[in-house]
Amino acid sequence: MERDARRPSGGGTPLSRHDDSRKCNLVPRHAFWCVQLTKGSTMDQGWFSKPVTVSVGLTGTIRHISNAQQAVELLTGQWRDAGSLQHGAALRACRRAMSGDVTTEAAREAFVGAAREAHVLVE
């Protein structure tokens, strides 16, 4: 991987060049350049392949949860079944997806299970 001393607009982490033949887990800037995220120093949001629609709060506000970070925020807020096994599993899976230890799809499925158990999943 080549290093380039240039910085992305607004400062930040140096840009790194990589070839397109391998999967890039970096934030894309365009075809060849990415802002490098150093594991451990910056957590990924863990984007889901498809948003999970839930109904939350007393008024049943519809929210579209698109990533693990949003799921963690919801799970640690006012969650109906906080403390249940499904809730705990979803919270762990989403946090681990943000750090890259599990796939975002595994985190999404765990979140869907917790939402279904709490009767907030909109299907």
Side-chain angles (χ1 to χ4, degrees):
M1 184 178 293
E2 295 176 24
R3 279 238 182 261
D4 187 12
R6 290 183 292 170
R7 298 231 179 240
S9 59
T13 309
L15 297 173
S16 297
R17 184 180 170 110
H18 61 87
D19 67 31
D20 283 333
S21 64
R22 65 181 178 87
K23 276 248 190 229
C24 178
N25 63 348
L26 308 174
V27 178
R29 281 290 192 224
H30 58 76
F32 292 103
W33 296 94
C34 289
V35 175
Q36 185 172 3
L37 299 176
T38 308
K39 187 171 180 169
S41 66
T42 305
M43 294 185 90
D44 185 18
Q45 291 181 339
W47 291 94
F48 297 155
S49 62
K50 179 180 169 190
V52 179
T53 305
V54 293
S55 172
V56 296
L58 295 174
T59 60
T61 304
I62 300 295
R63 288 197 49 200
H64 303 283
I65 307 302
S66 301
N67 60 51
Q69 182 178 3
Q70 292 173 347
V72 167
E73 290 168 5
L74 187 58
L75 289 164
T76 56
Q78 301 215 351
W79 188 259
R80 260 186 211 175
D81 288 340
S84 73
L85 291 177
Q86 293 268 359
H87 172 265
L91 192 54
R92 279 188 303 280
C94 288
R95 285 179 173 154
R96 291 185 69 204
M98 289 171 59
S99 65
D101 294 334
V102 300
T103 66
T104 55
E105 285 313 299
R108 183 185 183 281
E109 289 306 313
F111 179 69
V112 166
R116 187 172 285 127
E117 176 188 60
H119 304 286
V120 297
L121 183 66
V122 177
E123 295 188 87

